Amino acid sequence: MSDLTDFMPEKEVAPPPTAENAAGPTAEAPLVKPPPIPTVTTTNLVASCSLGVPLELRDIAVKTRNAEYNPGSFPACVMRLREPKACGLVYGNGKMVVTGTKRPEDAKLASKKFARIIQKLGFDVQFQKYAIQNIVGSMDVRYPIHLETVAIAHPEVTRYEPEIFAGLSYFLDDPPCCCILFCSGKVLITGNRSPADMDRAARRIAEIIAPSKPDMEKFVPLPGLSREEFLKVLDNPLSPPCS
């Protein structure tokens, strides 16, 4: 009779502890999230188009409601809409510029409404060559911006003359636009022609000015305002500092 121990599986022997496995599983490095990009609010949109025919601006001003024409001060007939709220500048050569809207859809709708109004006056209007020329947006990074630091770090693409204008102009190359920075944290972005370019410009300028963000942990608030109240004001600038 054979020994049963020959058929028993051998027990696995655990390896001796080492310096690597004694400390347990290696902890993964925490993921560093990029700072959130502030929301950009479109404040104005400028579009242009051609009506295809010469226009008699005086007739348009006389026969149209909410229209003004004063050639001595401005060479265009100014027309206004209530819905969508927009202003149209109509020139005698048939060119038209529409401003005052905040969305591309509203700008195109207002342009077509202006063209339809002029068409009803007897002009052979052809709506053509419509394009968005400029989108103006603003955002708030919610912290003070040290404009001198930005100007020294990027002298080739900035213009800062505090004696003339309080803001710093930063010229981006991709997308090509101009960002006007203020020490309060407000940023005005102009020169883009699409909402996608506006978002790209906001992301780029937020990354550029991030190194100039002051260290709030070392900031001493004014007398009479506790640190908790000061941080609360930073999170919500519209809230009162004291309850």
Side-chain angles (χ1 to χ4, degrees):
M1 187 174 181
S2 60
D3 190 359
L4 295 178
T5 58
D6 298 339
F7 301 95
M8 297 293 292
E10 297 182 357
K11 294 183 179 181
E12 296 182 358
V13 180
T18 60
E20 296 180 356
N21 55 22
T26 305
E28 297 183 357
L31 297 177
V32 179
K33 295 183 179 180
I37 303 301
T39 303
V40 184
T41 303
T42 302
T43 58
N44 190 21
L45 193 148
V46 181
S48 65
C49 65
S50 175
L51 302 180
V53 293
L55 303 173
E56 291 292 337
L57 302 183
R58 194 174 301 276
D59 292 344
I60 296 175
V62 171
K63 299 177 182 179
T64 306
R65 300 170 60 183
N66 300 325
E68 303 174 4
Y69 179 54
N70 188 359
S73 59
F74 192 65
C77 177
V78 182
M79 304 176 64
R80 291 180 174 85
L81 280 180
R82 293 183 178 178
E83 186 60 37
K85 188 177 181 180
C87 176
L89 307 178
V90 184
Y91 295 86
N93 59 0
K95 303 293 183 181
M96 182 171 63
V97 177
V98 178
T99 181
T101 60
K102 297 183 179 181
R103 299 190 306 168
E105 312 87 65
D106 292 342
K108 191 168 187 178
L109 177 60
S111 301
K112 289 185 176 180
K113 283 189 174 183
F114 284 129
R116 180 59 175 165
I117 291 173
I118 298 174
Q119 186 183 45
K120 287 183 177 180
L121 299 179
F123 297 95
D124 188 16
V125 169
Q126 299 177 2
F127 186 78
Q128 57 189 4
K129 297 181 181 179
Y130 173 83
I132 295 177
Q133 300 296 337
N134 186 19
I135 300 178
V136 182
S138 63
M139 68 177 186
D140 188 359
V141 296
R142 303 180 68 85
Y143 59 80
I145 303 175
H146 198 267
L147 301 181
E148 289 81 1
T149 302
V150 180
I152 294 174
H154 309 275
E156 300 85 1
V157 293
T158 58
R159 182 183 300 167
Y160 183 49
E161 298 178 1
E163 298 84 1
I164 301 176
F165 183 61
L168 180 145
S169 299
Y170 194 107
F171 300 95
L172 291 176
D173 55 350
D174 185 24
C177 65
C178 177
C179 301
I180 303 177
L181 315 179
F182 297 91
C183 60
S184 62
K186 304 291 184 179
V187 180
L188 185 67
I189 305 175
T190 180
N192 293 289
R193 297 193 176 188
S194 67
D197 289 344
M198 178 71 69
D199 294 338
R200 287 173 53 208
R203 179 171 282 99
R204 282 207 60 194
I205 197 65
E207 294 174 352
I208 290 171
I209 64 178
S212 66
K213 180 179 180 180
D215 188 3
M216 291 304 174
E217 296 295 332
K218 301 179 181 179
F219 189 83
V220 179
L222 295 175
L225 190 66
S226 65
R227 179 175 181 79
E228 291 74 14
E229 293 171 341
F230 172 73
L231 295 177
K232 183 179 179 181
V233 172
L234 289 180
D235 294 335
N236 186 9
L238 299 180
S239 64
C242 301
S243 58

